[in-house]
Amino acid sequence: MRLGERTHRFNELHREIDGISRRMLTLTLRALVRDGLASRTAYPTVPPRVDYELTKLGRTLLAPISALHEWAVAHRSDIRQARADHDRATGDRGADSRTP
């Protein structure tokens, strides 16, 4: 979603995406570039600058991803409640409790 707005630098994305580690963001961006959904442009500056943006193919995913995002936001409380109910029933503390 962020790359659909405009070109971003790595650190901008890292700051804007809550809860993502630098490693996971790196792996995700590499996968997007490999799949042809994003492009990576490195500039020979000091310090190095790398920009990421969606490709034409990547832009075709904006509508379905936006719809999924809207659905997730609309049902966030339902999902949280379902997780809490499940965790109570199974005695599981859930993945959130294992996150440092």
Side-chain angles (χ1 to χ4, degrees):
M1 294 291 297
R2 295 281 189 235
L3 289 179
E5 298 166 2
R6 63 180 175 81
T7 300
H8 278 39
R9 294 175 73 175
F10 180 89
N11 285 329
E12 287 178 310
L13 290 168
H14 188 250
R15 280 191 302 270
E16 292 179 15
I17 303 171
D18 290 332
I20 193 167
S21 69
R22 295 179 73 79
R23 172 143 173 81
M24 183 52 66
L25 179 57
T26 297
L27 293 174
T28 301
L29 289 169
R30 282 182 186 164
L32 290 172
V33 170
R34 182 173 185 241
D35 291 344
L37 301 174
S39 65
R40 178 185 187 275
T41 305
Y43 298 93
T45 60
V46 177
R49 176 179 167 182
V50 178
D51 289 344
Y52 293 91
E53 66 181 320
L54 287 182
T55 61
K56 186 176 177 181
L57 178 62
R59 292 199 170 282
T60 67
L61 278 174
L62 284 175
I65 293 293
S66 294
L68 178 61
H69 174 75
E70 289 171 17
W71 179 90
V73 169
H75 295 283
R76 183 179 293 157
S77 62
D78 299 324
I79 294 167
R80 286 184 179 143
Q81 185 62 52
R83 287 177 180 173
D85 293 346
H86 175 271
D87 294 348
R88 266 193 307 280
T90 63
D92 188 357
R93 294 184 316 159
D96 293 339
S97 67
R98 291 188 288 272
T99 304

